[in-house]
């Protein structure tokens, strides 16, 4: 895979060297000579990943990284700090500023390319979520996302997979002040535990006895419930080849023994932050999808959703030669409810009717609010005779008890009229709905509070 890489360094020779090395590996490369230029390029969404020097005039790399990671528009862009600084305190400072990795010059090409590919792949996986979630920001769902951007990465749930007691005790102790750590010594059980535990991070030791830790990492990536869970490897200094292979199979990060507790803590906090940010994007996306297909007042599917799915249900019924029926339900004299009791009471009636409607149909039936006081129920695997029984059940369920409105201050008698039409094998969606609607018209014309089936 390729990616657009921004190289930020105030020394032209360093920029040219990284440009040549990355271009040879078919990455697209852009360059910036200072932090201000880098922030501008990132704000215009012109890169997938940033390789950032630290020692620059005007604004050092740590500050550039901090600004990128605290801005919701650039928070998602991975940052690798590439610098001659080699002290543990420098590395930790970079990670705490939000960097996704910290590489010390001179950087080995293979390690650099593997890390760039890994982080670019992770970013691209999240880009679709992020772009779709922009809709939710436009309708006001911003607070939770901002909280995720500013999350300190504390209090996460970490699953540690390590079968050496002296090792897992050290790691647990290092993380205890910032995270909740569960230890699993059996790699065979770790996959099930990770899938069931809703962990923020899974930490896997590469030195598992008699078991390939990378196979576990690959399995975590293959399961739907753990596909997006960050995975961090704990490796020995001679495990470079396996670490690079781990990055290829989807590992998010790694730490090398002997472990620096502060660095380990910083890296895990980074992964916890990323997990929460991604989870919030998914939550916002789900919310936007629900808003797009759900009626906000009643909680039923809306007309748009019905129109999207009715024809496909008819196609399935035709292909399998199976029955399908449709009900069109209308609340009788609903305008008088609004006129007499007010629109708030009318809304109470619509909500309570929807509750009774859902209680009268099966889980596979599609109940939708068509608009106003009109509703549609699509019933797969249901012939006309059974559909009439269900329609009568809905009618009687509505009529059996008054609707309590206005916080209990009023009780309104409500009835409904129902039109029933069954799929004849050649109907399209509009034809079927029109036949059910004509049956509803006859029900209302003949006195309301009754069920009428289409005569076709």
């Amino acid at each position: 895979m390729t990616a657009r890489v921004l190289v930020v360094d105030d020394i032209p020779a360093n920029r040219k060297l990284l440009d040549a090395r990355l271009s040879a590996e078919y990455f697209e490369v852009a360059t910036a000579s200072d932090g201000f230029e880098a922030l501008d390029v990132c704000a215009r969404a012109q890169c997938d990943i940033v390789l950032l020097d630290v020692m620059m005039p005007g604004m050092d790399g740590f500050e550039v990284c901090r600004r990128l990671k605290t801005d919701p528009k650039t928070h998602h862009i991975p940052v690798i700090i590439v610098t001659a600084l080699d002290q543990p305190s420098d590395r930790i400072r970079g990670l705490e500023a939000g960097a996704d990795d910290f590489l010390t010059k001179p950087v080995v090409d293979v390690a650099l390319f593997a890390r760039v590919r890994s982080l670019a792949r992770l970013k691209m996986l999240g880009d679709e979520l992020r772009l779709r979630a922009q809709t939710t920001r436009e309708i006001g769902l911003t607070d939770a996302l901002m909280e995720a951007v500013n999350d300190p990465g504390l209090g996460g749930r970490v699953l540690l997979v390590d079968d050496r007691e002296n090792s897992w005790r050290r790691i647990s102790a290092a993380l205890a002040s910032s995270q909740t750590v569960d230890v699993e010594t059996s790699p065979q059980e770790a996959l099930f535990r990770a899938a069931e535990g809703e962990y923020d991070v899974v930490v896997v030791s590469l030195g598992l006895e008699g078991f390939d830790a990378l196979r576990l990492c690959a399995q975590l990536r293959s399961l739907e419930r753990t596909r997006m869970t960050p995975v961090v490897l704990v490796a020995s200094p001679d495990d470079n080849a396996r670490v690079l292979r781990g990055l290829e199979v989807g590992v998010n990060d790694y730490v090398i023994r002997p472990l620096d507790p502060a660095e380990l803590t910083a890296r895990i906090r980074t992964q916890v932050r990323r997990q929460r940010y991604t989870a919030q994007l998914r939550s916002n996306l789900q919310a936007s999808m629900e808003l797009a297909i759900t009626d906000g007042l009643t909680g039923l599917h809306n007309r748009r959703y019905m129109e999207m799915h009715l024809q496909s249900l008819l196609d399935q019924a035709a292909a399998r030669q199976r029955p399908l029926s449709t009900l069109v339900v209308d609340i009788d004299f609903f305008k008088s409810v609004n006129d007499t009791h007010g629109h708030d009471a009318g809304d109470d009636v619509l909500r309570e009717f929807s509750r009774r409607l859902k209680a009268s149909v099966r889980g596979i039936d599609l109940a939708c609010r068509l608009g106003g006081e009109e509703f549609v129920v699509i019933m797969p695997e249901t012939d006309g005779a059974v559909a009439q029984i269900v329609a009568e059940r809905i009618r009687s369920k509505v009529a059996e008890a008054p609707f309590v409105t206005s916080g209990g201050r009023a009780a309104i008698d409500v009835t409904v009229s129902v039109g029933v039409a069954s799929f004849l094998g050649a109907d399209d969606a509009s034809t079927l709905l029109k036949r059910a609607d004509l049956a509803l018209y006859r029900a209302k014309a003949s006195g309301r509070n009754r069920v009428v089936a289409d005569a076709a």
Side-chain angles (χ1 to χ4, degrees), residues 100-117:
D100 296 86
D101 206 349
F102 189 105
L103 301 179
T104 303
K105 298 176 182 178
V107 180
V108 178
D109 280 0
V110 175
L112 173 64
F113 300 149
R115 201 68 182 104
V116 169
R117 289 191 180 97

Side-chain angles (χ1 to χ4, degrees), residues 144-201:
L145 194 59
M146 282 301 298
E147 287 179 8
V149 169
N150 297 318
D151 193 292
L154 300 174
R157 297 191 66 231
V158 177
L159 178 63
L160 171 59
V161 186
D162 195 336
D163 54 7
R164 291 190 299 166
E165 183 175 358
N166 62 339
S167 173
W168 63 252
R169 284 193 182 280
R170 282 197 299 270
I171 296 173
S172 297
L175 296 176
S177 63
S178 58
Q179 315 294 343
T180 298
V181 181
D182 293 336
V183 177
E184 178 54 66
T185 59
S186 169
Q188 290 84 358
E189 293 295 323
L191 185 64
F192 299 102
R193 195 164 176 183
E196 296 168 0
E198 297 185 356
Y199 289 97
D200 295 301
V201 183

Side-chain angles (χ1 to χ4, degrees), residues 81-96:
I81 291 180
V82 182
T83 179
L85 299 176
D86 59 358
Q87 295 301 307
S89 59
D90 297 317
R91 184 162 57 250
I92 293 164
R93 185 181 174 192
L95 294 170
E96 289 179 343

Side-chain angles (χ1 to χ4, degrees), residues 115 118-119 122 221 229-231 247 250-253 271 274:
R115 201 68 182 104
S118 172
L119 287 170
L122 290 170
R221 282 290 165 265
T229 304
V231 178
L247 293 173
V251 166
N252 297 66
D253 201 358
Q271 298 305 323
R274 177 179 292 153

Side-chain angles (χ1 to χ4, degrees), residues 252-313:
N252 297 66
D253 201 358
Y254 60 92
V255 288
I256 302 296
R257 303 180 192 273
L259 300 178
D260 180 331
E263 179 181 351
L264 173 64
T265 299
R267 289 186 183 274
I268 296 301
R269 286 177 62 182
T270 295
Q271 298 305 323
V272 171
R273 283 195 299 266
R274 177 179 292 153
Q275 170 68 356
R276 289 172 177 170
Y277 176 75
T278 304
Q280 190 58 55
L281 285 178
R282 289 198 301 269
S283 176
N284 282 11
L285 175 58
Q286 182 64 31
S288 67
M289 291 175 64
E290 290 176 359
L291 286 169
I293 65 174
T294 304
D295 175 62
L297 178 64
T298 64
L300 300 177
H301 290 301
N302 60 18
R303 181 174 193 147
R304 177 183 179 186
Y305 185 86
M306 184 203 70
E307 292 174 344
M308 286 166 45
H309 288 274
L310 176 54
Q311 188 59 54
S312 64
L313 291 174

Side-chain angles (χ1 to χ4, degrees), residues 55 59 61 84 94 182 188 220 261 274 316 366 397 409 442:
M55 305 300 292
M59 184 191 309
D182 293 336
Q188 290 84 358
L220 288 168
R274 177 179 292 153
Q316 291 177 17
L366 182 61
K397 188 81 172 176
R409 294 188 300 274
R442 291 198 296 273

